[in-house]
Structure formats: structure tokens, C-alpha cells
Amino acid sequence: QVQLVESGGGLVQAGGSLRLSCAASGRTFSSYAMGWFRQARGKERKFVAGISGSNGRLYYSDSVKGRFTVSRDNAKNTVYLQMNSMKAEDTAVYYCATAPAVYSGSTYWGHYDYWGQGTQVTVSS
């Protein structure tokens, strides 16, 4: 089993930056694809960004492409989401999750096996 813990959320001004971290337990971390999802109040959970389990093919939703960057450090069992040029629409609870490598970049929540508890991100405008 895998345990995921997100951190780094908080309040940021529109146009500012924030970096989220997701620390994972598990011997086979490097074999997982990783995804970031977010869920705004009253909205469904949506895919934000992903990274493959290999060297790191990157995937982004259209709404964040060019502003967010996903990366991973397998030695630290950690995945990151660097968020720049943030907008009020980015306000949500952010979750990291794992998926089998074959589902790298999948936007479907059901392809992901383990989820973190979420971290709140609030962008003021």
C-alpha cells in the first residue's frame, strides 16, 4: 500500500506562485505514474497535471499549461507541483494520486489507486 501526504498549500495573491509537495511511502514509487487533481467547492474533481513513472513525460490540463510545472524526485519519493501566475480560478483542494504506468497522463480519477488527503490552495484577487 502507498501513503501520500500533500503539503505546501495556503493563501497566495493572484499572479503569485506556490509549490506543492507530495511525499509518498512505498518501495516501488518510481514505477507509478503520478497525477495532481483539484476540486473546487461545489465542483467535480479535475485533472491538473501528471508525470510518467519513467524519466518523466509531463502532462497538463489546458487550464494550467504554461503556468504549472510537475516534477518528481524518486530518490525522495516526492512529486511536486510548481504553480506560477496563479489565478483565482486555481482555488481548490489539491490532491496527488498514483496510477499504474499504463495510465500516465490519464484525466480519469478512476485510474488512480491511491490518494493523498488534499491540501487547500486559495488565490486572492
Side-chain angles (χ1 to χ4, degrees):
Q1 296 186 351
V2 177
Q3 183 180 28
L4 304 174
V5 180
E6 300 97 338
S7 62
L11 178 65
V12 65
Q13 190 176 18
S17 298
L18 205 61
R19 189 177 78 159
L20 305 182
S21 299
C22 175
S25 65
R27 209 161 41 87
T28 60
F29 175 79
S30 63
S31 70
Y32 299 129
M34 301 294 298
W36 286 97
F37 288 74
R38 66 188 183 187
Q39 187 167 22
R41 290 166 62 182
K43 303 290 186 177
E44 64 185 358
R45 189 168 299 186
K46 297 176 65 176
F47 176 81
V48 177
I51 186 167
S52 72
S54 56
N55 284 338
R57 185 176 180 86
L58 309 180
Y59 307 86
Y60 299 99
S61 68
D62 290 340
S63 62
V64 307
K65 181 171 289 188
R67 300 189 297 119
F68 291 10
T69 302
V70 63
S71 62
R72 68 191 297 163
D73 185 338
N74 290 332
K76 297 181 179 179
N77 284 358
T78 301
V79 64
Y80 305 95
L81 184 67
Q82 178 67 47
M83 304 183 291
N84 298 325
S85 301
M86 297 190 72
K87 306 175 180 179
E89 304 90 270
D90 296 323
T91 295
V93 176
Y94 283 69
Y95 301 88
C96 66
T98 68
V102 68
Y103 295 128
S104 293
S106 175
T107 63
Y108 175 50
W109 67 267
H111 286 154
Y112 293 79
D113 299 322
Y114 297 96
W115 294 80
Q117 83 287 350
T119 185
Q120 176 70 50
V121 171
T122 302
V123 183
S124 63
S125 60

